[in-house]
């Protein structure tokens, strides 16, 4: 799989026309397969899709050829593809009266409904409880939950330059091509660069500048407005598999990737990473991650999940199919993982997102570094919420308590209030404000906080609202003004309240 030659991209537009004509798109697949079979395909379960493609329409033929990777009679394949060109260019191979796909071609819907295609190695579309089941070093994976998560959290403002570190099959470079004038994609695996070239060409996107090498080595001291990376973040004993194992000890690859990004970001630029990090005995994981943040950068780090070392080892042993090997061999590999964690005093592994932004305030010694745990459901895409988070941090850095009380605020869209208490009780035990967008946060507030948030429509300054609340509740307005700014600051920081820009 990792040694076969790859198709030539030169005549990709002709193949793309054929795929579109057959409705071999994300929407077309959903219409053909139905929701259950479509969802099963995303989990790498193919039986429902096979049952749904027993006809001879061009779309059914393409699904069986490129997604299910079944042999197709030559004459039937001719009805769906410019077959002579596809054989010549290496997209399919012919044996007797049958043709087979040489690569996985997977329809993928862009953020504005674009019909894109992600090209990867056969059998390496990501999904399924058993992992990809491959132990070949150079395989290149397709679209998985990690790559779509990274695409969703990335800020998508127009930029001059973007860098995709560890591009794999090219999904991040493909997204970046829509809002970056120049895209550079790097990977240690030269095969991944070839797949990125195919993905971009078959998706009708502009080509990227492709460079081979590890981390930032291929770009030297060049700087960018956007950096994204879904790196080989797995913390493992050794570097068996290029697509997942970083080859450095512990979480050093992710740390190095994050720490060195500051020197490659332009002012105002963003860097987005997925990462794993160690939970070390006797060390706070938040302190570990704060040490990764480079000078001159603000940071928002979200831990989404934590696994103990046994869960983590089992997950990645299944991913590579080691659980299907000889029992003694499996036990030896499992032991090696646990030996590695024991030697490093690792008690768990965290997974999450790291977003950096280069800012003048951080460079001046006043960075905003927010590190939190949030395992709950969020609403993707989160890019706008990420951008809003940093804008709120900028605002709060500039406001002392007096400025907050003089400021005007509005309640964010789709914030709901929940009252929690015993049935029939005159007053609730507590009040919860809950977001239905973005991070979908919830926070407890007291009666003052609930009343304050409820009347924030931007017309009155915060101090005047508190004075009115004090009068209604028979409280001392001076004491209320003294104790409330911290609560206002928290509601702004978490996105429940939005500052109203001053009018000229």
């Amino acid at each position: 799989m990792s040694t076969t030659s790859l198709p030539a991209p030169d005549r990709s537009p002709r193949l793309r026309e054929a795929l579109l004509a057959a409705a071999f798109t994300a929407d077309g697949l959903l219409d053909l397969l139905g929701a259950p079979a479509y969802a099963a395909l995303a989990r790498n379960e193919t039986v429902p899709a096979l049952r749904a493609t027993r006809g001879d329409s061009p779309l059914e033929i393409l699904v069986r050829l490129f997604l299910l990777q079944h042999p197709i009679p030559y004459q039937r394949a001719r009805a769906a593809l410019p077959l002579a060109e596809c054989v010549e260019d290496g997209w399919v191979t012919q044996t007797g009266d049958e043709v087979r796909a040489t690569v996985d071609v997977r329809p993928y819907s862009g953020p504005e409904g674009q019909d894109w295609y992600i090209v990867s190695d056969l059998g390496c579309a990501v999904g399924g409880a058993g992992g990809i089941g491959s132990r070949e070093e150079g395989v290149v994976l397709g679209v998985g939950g990690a790559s779509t998560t990274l695409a969703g959290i990335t800020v998508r403002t127009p930029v001059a330059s973007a860098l995709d570190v560890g591009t794999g099959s090219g999904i991040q470079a493909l997204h970046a091509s829509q809002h970056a004038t120049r895209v550079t994609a790097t990977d240690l695996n030269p095969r991944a660069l070839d797949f990125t070239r195919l993905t971009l060409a078959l998706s009708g996107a502009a080509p990227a500048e492709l460079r081979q090498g590890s981390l930032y080595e291929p770009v030297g001291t060049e700087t960018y407005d956007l950096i994204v990376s879904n790196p080989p973040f797995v913390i493992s004993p050794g570097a068996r598999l290029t697509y997942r194992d970083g080859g450095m000890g512990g979480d050093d690859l992710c740390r190095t990737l994050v720490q060195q990004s500051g020197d490659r970001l332009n002012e105002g630029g963003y860097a987005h990473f997925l990462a794993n990090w160690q939970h070390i005995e006797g060390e706070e994981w938040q302190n570990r991650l704060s040490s990764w943040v480079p000078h001159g950068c603000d940071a928002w780090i979200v831990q989404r999940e934590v696994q103990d070392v046994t869960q983590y080892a089992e997950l990645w042993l299944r991913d590579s199919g080691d659980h299907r090997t000889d029992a003694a061999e499996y036990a030896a590999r499992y032991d090696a993982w646990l030996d590695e964690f024991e030697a490093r005093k690792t008690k768990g592994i965290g997974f999450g997102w790291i977003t950096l932004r280069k800012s003048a305030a951080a460079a001046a010694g006043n960075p905003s570094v927010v590190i939190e745990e949030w395992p709950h459901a969020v609403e993707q895409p989160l890019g706008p919420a990420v951008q809003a988070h940093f804008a709120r941090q900028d605002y709060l850095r500039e406001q002392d308590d007096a400025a907050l009380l003089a400021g005007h605020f509005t309640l964010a869209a789709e914030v709901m209030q929940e009252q929690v208490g015993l049935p029939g009780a005159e007053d609730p035990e507590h009040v919860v404000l809950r977001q239905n967008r973005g991070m979908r946060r919830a926070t407890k507030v007291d009666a003052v906080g609930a009343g304050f948030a409820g009347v924030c429509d931007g017309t009155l300054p915060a101090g005047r609202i508190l004075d009115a609340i004090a009068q209604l509740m028979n409280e001392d307005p001076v004491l209320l003004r003294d104790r409330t700014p911290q609560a206002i600051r928290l509601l702004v920081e978490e996105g429940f309240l939005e500052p109203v820009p001053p009018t000229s």
Side-chain angles (χ1 to χ4, degrees):
M1 185 185 303
S2 60
T3 58
T4 57
S5 60
L6 295 180
D10 300 345
R11 288 187 284 194
S12 295
R14 283 284 307 276
L15 175 56
R16 175 175 171 80
E17 289 174 9
L19 300 180
L20 293 175
F24 187 64
T25 63
D27 289 342
L29 286 182
L30 182 59
D31 289 342
L32 171 68
L33 302 178
Y38 186 80
L41 193 60
R43 300 190 300 269
N44 240 8
E45 297 292 346
T46 60
V47 172
L50 278 169
R51 292 173 61 85
T53 56
R54 289 178 284 196
D56 287 327
S57 71
L59 178 54
E60 289 168 296
I61 290 168
L62 291 173
V63 171
R64 291 201 303 273
L65 179 66
F66 285 120
L67 294 189
L68 307 180
Q69 286 136 32
H70 278 238
I72 301 295
Y74 186 90
Q75 292 303 322
R76 290 182 182 177
R78 284 184 62 187
L81 292 169
L83 195 53
E85 287 183 7
C86 288
V87 172
E88 183 179 348
D89 292 346
W91 292 95
V92 299
T93 183
Q94 181 180 0
T95 304
D97 293 332
E98 291 184 333
V99 295
R100 286 181 176 270
T102 60
V103 290
D104 184 298
V105 177
R106 195 152 298 244
Y108 177 77
S109 183
E112 297 177 0
Q114 301 100 322
D115 291 316
W116 289 342
Y117 298 96
I118 309 299
V119 188
S120 64
D121 267 313
L122 293 173
C124 288
V126 181
I132 69 165
S134 173
R135 288 181 285 169
E136 294 195 48
E137 180 181 350
V139 298
V140 177
L141 274 58
V143 181
S147 52
T148 54
T149 293
L150 179 59
I153 67 173
T154 299
V155 174
R156 297 294 175 192
T157 53
V159 294
S161 57
L163 172 65
D164 177 13
V165 181
T167 186
S169 56
I171 180 175
Q172 308 305 329
L174 179 57
H175 276 277
S177 71
Q178 304 303 293
H179 64 103
T181 304
R182 177 174 63 91
V183 177
T184 302
T186 72
D187 205 289
L188 182 64
N189 182 3
R191 187 175 177 80
L193 300 179
D194 291 336
F195 272 114
T196 294
R197 186 180 292 110
L198 293 172
T199 290
L200 294 172
L202 196 57
S203 298
E209 183 179 351
L210 305 176
R211 303 187 192 180
Q212 183 186 355
S214 177
L215 300 180
Y216 301 108
E217 186 180 82
V219 300
T221 59
E222 295 177 31
T223 58
Y224 298 86
D225 302 311
L226 173 68
I227 298 173
V228 293
S229 183
N230 177 17
F233 52 65
V234 177
I235 299 170
S236 59
R240 290 172 62 206
L241 303 175
T242 304
Y243 73 86
R244 71 171 203 191
D245 300 324
M248 296 185 184
D251 51 20
D252 282 356
L253 182 135
C254 290
R255 176 186 57 79
T256 302
L257 183 66
V258 173
Q259 286 181 336
Q260 294 184 357
S261 64
D263 293 334
R264 277 122 183 133
L265 270 181
N266 293 326
E267 179 72 21
Y270 286 90
H272 302 273
F273 308 99
L274 299 186
N276 277 185
W277 44 79
Q278 297 171 106
H279 283 229
I280 301 294
E281 188 177 330
E283 176 186 63
E284 294 293 333
W285 67 270
Q286 295 93 335
N287 293 339
R288 183 178 192 82
L289 289 175
S290 66
S291 71
W292 292 12
V293 179
H295 175 73
C297 289
D298 301 316
W300 185 19
I301 302 174
V302 181
Q303 180 168 270
R304 296 287 288 160
E305 182 181 4
V306 181
Q307 289 186 317
D308 67 48
V309 293
T310 59
Q311 290 174 311
Y312 190 79
E314 290 161 14
L315 169 68
W316 294 109
L317 287 168
R318 286 195 304 271
D319 172 77
S320 55
D322 286 302
H323 62 308
R324 302 190 189 101
T325 61
D326 174 76
E329 181 182 348
Y330 174 74
R333 290 199 183 280
Y334 200 150
D335 261 337
W337 283 72
L338 296 185
D339 285 344
E340 175 77 5
F341 292 137
E342 185 177 340
R344 295 182 179 277
K345 298 183 179 180
T346 303
K347 60 182 181 178
I349 306 294
F351 168 81
W353 321 322
I354 298 176
T355 297
L356 307 175
R357 186 194 57 166
K358 194 79 169 282
S359 77
N366 187 23
S368 164
V369 178
V370 176
I371 302 175
E372 61 177 320
E373 188 163 16
W374 190 253
H376 311 293
V378 300
E379 181 193 46
Q380 286 277 31
L382 266 175
V386 172
Q387 190 173 12
H389 165 88
F390 286 98
R392 293 194 299 269
Q393 296 301 316
D394 287 343
Y395 171 82
L396 291 171
R397 265 190 296 219
E398 298 169 357
Q399 310 298 313
D400 60 16
D401 287 355
L404 277 179
L405 292 174
H408 295 238
F409 302 93
T410 59
L411 189 65
E414 296 192 37
V415 171
M416 304 298 292
Q417 176 178 302
E418 300 175 1
Q419 295 187 359
V420 181
L422 293 174
E426 184 175 345
D427 296 312
E429 292 180 17
H430 59 265
V431 176
V432 174
L433 299 182
R434 188 177 301 278
Q435 301 170 353
N436 290 314
R437 306 296 303 272
M439 292 292 285
R440 294 177 173 166
R441 295 187 187 278
T443 188
K444 286 184 183 180
V445 292
D446 59 13
V448 172
F452 180 85
V455 298
C456 277
D457 60 3
T459 58
L460 292 175
R464 294 256 319 260
I465 295 174
L466 290 177
D467 290 344
I469 291 174
Q471 186 174 0
L472 286 172
M473 300 181 67
N474 294 319
E475 291 209 29
D476 185 326
V478 175
L479 293 178
L480 193 60
R481 278 175 173 253
D482 284 345
R483 78 167 193 258
T484 306
Q486 186 57 39
I488 296 174
R489 195 174 293 276
L490 179 64
L491 290 174
V492 172
E493 181 175 353
E494 294 192 342
F496 291 94
L497 294 179
E498 297 177 349
V500 176
T503 56
S504 58

